[in-house]
Amino acid sequence: MQNLKSLNVSGKRVLVRVDYNVPVSGGVVQDDTRVTASLPTIRALLEAGARNVILMSHFGRPKNGPEEKYSLKPVAPVLEGVLGQPVTFIAGTADSDETLAAVQALPEGAVALLENVRFSAGEEKNDADLNGRLARLGDAFVLDAFGSAHRAHSSVSGVAGLLPHAGGLLLEAEVTALGKLLNNPEHPYVVIIGGAKVSDKLLVIENLLPTVDRMLIGGGMAYTFVKAQGGKIGKSIHEDDFLDKARELLAKYGEKIVLPTDTLAGDAFSAEANTRVVPTADIPDDWEGMDIGPDSQKAFAQALEGAKTVFWNGPMGVFEFDKFASGTNAIARAVADLGAGTYSVIGGGDSVSAINKSGQADRVSHISTGGGASLELLEGKALPGVEAMK
Ligand code: 3PG
Ligand code: MG
């Protein structure tokens, strides 16, 4: 990958693709992790004498042009706060002549944030005309949006073909950190996978199983595996289409796969549900599994002990309801408790927010800003954004 050092930015306008697709509620940014993660690259460019840093990002999935609720405007003051210098928000669509004029009028040293690049119709189609219009905004291009690196979009890979380009510091750090999980990881290597659906994580599970020593499977997807083994899972979420696949994986990698033996079940999918702890393979008919149980929390923590490499993606239960957050929090603690002797990586929005909430984030080796991007990388796929920086 071409890195920042290889790019001559002195006196240049540098167009930087960041991923500021952050959670916003009521016009207020709820988590600034992705904004903070972009600071090293912005600062490095300013220090290297860039004339301007012009940041562009998508936000949400608008389908029909500009829409207030998808505006990146609320992110500008957050960036200003963490960067400690003014940020000019340019409100026109990124491809408009007005935006070009506003960029050209920026004083030397200014940092600007463009409006949501998905307001332009061609963005997700990697449209050649849009690539050209975006390329007018800079003399050089830097991709620092690791979270979007799996998208072959105009602002990610398209514009890179038209300008001198390099991967930013975040992109580089992410690719290096996640790459260690694929290339010669130190053993014992333990992976914890959670989340609602097997189908979302199947390719990662299949790509990592041959390499890992243990794979702990929690969250809603565990019930598909338990049902595949003939267990009674009550009303728990599961995917019948993946029962055969689950059986195949259990037959081939049964000694590596650790499933929860007990479950905190609820009598409704609700924050106020009544609860009881039951065996995962014997959940009463009208109840559904909502979190891993206390025995499983202990067993998972034990399975992590002594690990030299750990990757965790996906919550262990319906952790957005406090009653069912204990399994996910226990995993966050167990991973953090492994300490500095273990190379630990956490990816995916839910696991990242769990570790952030637990106050233990500084005790893991790497927290990825990428959800889908980190998974695709661990599936063994080439990411279009990363490829474009080669
Ligand atoms: C994310 O939040 O996963 C990234 O920003 C990518 O967003 P997208 O799935 O809408 O492309
Ligand atoms: Mg290239």
Side-chain angles (χ1 to χ4, degrees), residues 2 165 387-390:
Q2 281 153 219
H165 54 262
E387 294 308 298
M389 295 303 116
K390 283 181 177 164

Side-chain angles (χ1 to χ4, degrees), residues 155-387:
S155 67
V156 178
S157 53
V159 71
L162 302 175
L163 292 172
H165 54 262
L169 298 171
L170 175 63
L171 188 77
E172 215 185 344
E174 291 270 18
V175 169
T176 304
L178 292 161
K180 286 191 203 167
L181 299 171
L182 291 175
N183 308 314
N184 295 317
E186 243 196 289
H187 291 267
Y189 180 7
V190 183
V191 167
I192 314 141
I193 298 275
K197 291 183 182 166
V198 182
S199 51
D200 286 342
K201 310 281 166 78
L202 182 63
L203 297 176
V204 177
I205 292 174
E206 288 188 305
N207 197 42
L208 295 182
L209 264 174
T211 317
V212 304
D213 298 289
R214 290 184 282 283
M215 186 174 285
L216 320 180
I217 298 182
M221 72 169 71
Y223 304 106
T224 297
F225 284 88
V226 173
K227 185 171 179 186
Q229 288 175 320
K232 232 177 112 248
I233 60 166
K235 283 196 309 181
S236 307
I237 187 172
H238 63 282
E239 291 169 287
D240 283 330
D241 287 351
F242 287 84
L243 291 174
D244 285 341
K245 194 59 184 179
R247 269 183 217 111
E248 181 192 318
L249 293 173
L250 287 163
K252 194 158 176 201
Y253 298 105
E255 348 67 82
K256 294 185 177 188
I257 297 174
V258 183
L259 293 168
T261 54
D262 63 343
T263 286
L264 181 63
D267 62 355
F269 188 87
S270 145
E272 278 82 45
N274 294 304
T275 63
R276 56 197 275 204
V277 175
V278 295
T280 309
D282 194 13
I283 301 176
D285 285 346
D286 288 333
W287 292 67
E288 60 190 295
M290 299 283 278
D291 193 10
I292 58 172
D295 288 350
S296 305
Q297 290 181 23
K298 276 191 216 106
F300 280 21
Q302 259 162 28
L304 281 164
E305 271 170 30
K308 285 282 169 207
T309 307
V310 169
F311 172 61
W312 174 30
N313 174 287
M316 295 293 103
V318 190
F319 85 116
E320 54 273 35
F321 301 152
D322 285 346
K323 268 190 186 174
F324 304 108
S326 133
T328 301
N329 291 336
I331 293 299
R333 249 189 331 272
V335 172
D337 283 347
L338 293 168
T342 305
Y343 183 67
S344 52
V345 178
I346 300 185
D350 292 335
S351 330
V352 171
S353 88
I355 194 93
N356 283 340
K357 264 201 213 155
S358 76
Q360 315 263 3
D362 54 345
R363 296 177 65 210
V364 298
S365 312
H366 181 75
I367 294 184
S368 180
T369 56
S374 66
L375 289 177
E376 287 199 22
L377 201 132
L378 294 176
E379 286 168 10
K381 287 188 186 144
L383 307 186
V386 175
E387 294 308 298

